[in-house]
Amino acid sequence: MKRVPRSAATLPEFDRRACPEGMVTRRQLREKGLSPGGHGPVAVLRCKACSYRPDQACIHPTRAWLYSVELARPKRVPTLAQEWALDRAMAARSTCPRCKRRYYFCLPLRTQGCCDPCDKGYEPSPDTYMTSSAPAGHRLAA
């Protein structure tokens, strides 16, 4: 592993539980209904292993990027047309071409070509697929 002195790090680094106010991870931004808004990270949250090496920069994949809450923007809300497009894409991945059932999970269509019940010849459990009287093209999953 390449050792980088902490003084040569391009972004300021903070140890866990020593992060200043106004800097949060991407997951914490999402919980607040925000997105980075096109801005990059402003600091690095060091991993637990690097807390024992205060003179070295953290280059582990377990580090986290910190974003500024002041630079963040509200999350974009998808339009109804975008939601329909996403639903159609998910329907293509979760609908069996043989039995036409839409499952709650993605099917192995590339390798198997159909759902497990059709491939193995058993009856699927009713809680694994959607039961609706609407046509297959007009069911929003969300």
Side-chain angles (χ1 to χ4, degrees):
M1 182 175 297
K2 181 176 77 170
R3 293 186 180 194
V4 178
R6 194 166 181 179
S7 61
T10 57
L11 291 173
E13 294 186 351
F14 298 100
D15 289 323
R16 300 205 181 257
R17 298 198 176 128
C19 183
E21 289 292 321
M23 288 190 193
V24 294
T25 62
R26 184 181 287 265
R27 184 172 290 174
Q28 291 168 331
L29 277 178
R30 285 296 205 201
E31 288 173 0
K32 294 180 179 187
L34 301 171
S35 71
H39 296 282
V42 294
V44 175
L45 184 64
R46 294 163 51 90
C47 67
K48 186 177 179 182
C50 286
S51 63
Y52 299 109
R53 294 185 291 266
D55 59 330
Q56 295 176 12
C58 181
I59 57 171
H60 294 106
T62 55
R63 69 178 181 259
W65 302 109
L66 294 173
Y67 297 89
S68 173
V69 176
E70 290 82 31
L71 299 175
R73 295 184 185 155
K75 282 195 305 187
R76 294 185 300 171
V77 179
T79 64
L80 187 58
Q82 289 172 330
E83 287 187 22
W84 275 80
L86 288 171
D87 187 64
R88 284 193 307 268
M90 286 307 296
R93 296 179 66 193
S94 60
T95 302
C96 177
R98 287 190 195 168
C99 64
K100 306 293 186 218
R101 288 188 186 108
R102 182 169 178 187
Y103 289 86
Y104 291 110
F105 50 87
C106 294
L107 298 175
L109 298 177
R110 185 174 291 176
T111 57
Q112 194 168 300
C114 60
C115 63
D116 274 344
C118 289
D119 190 48
K120 309 269 191 296
Y122 64 88
E123 189 63 30
S125 173
D127 60 338
T128 59
Y129 61 90
M130 297 180 194
T131 55
S132 175
S133 60
H138 299 292
R139 284 185 261 155
L140 280 176

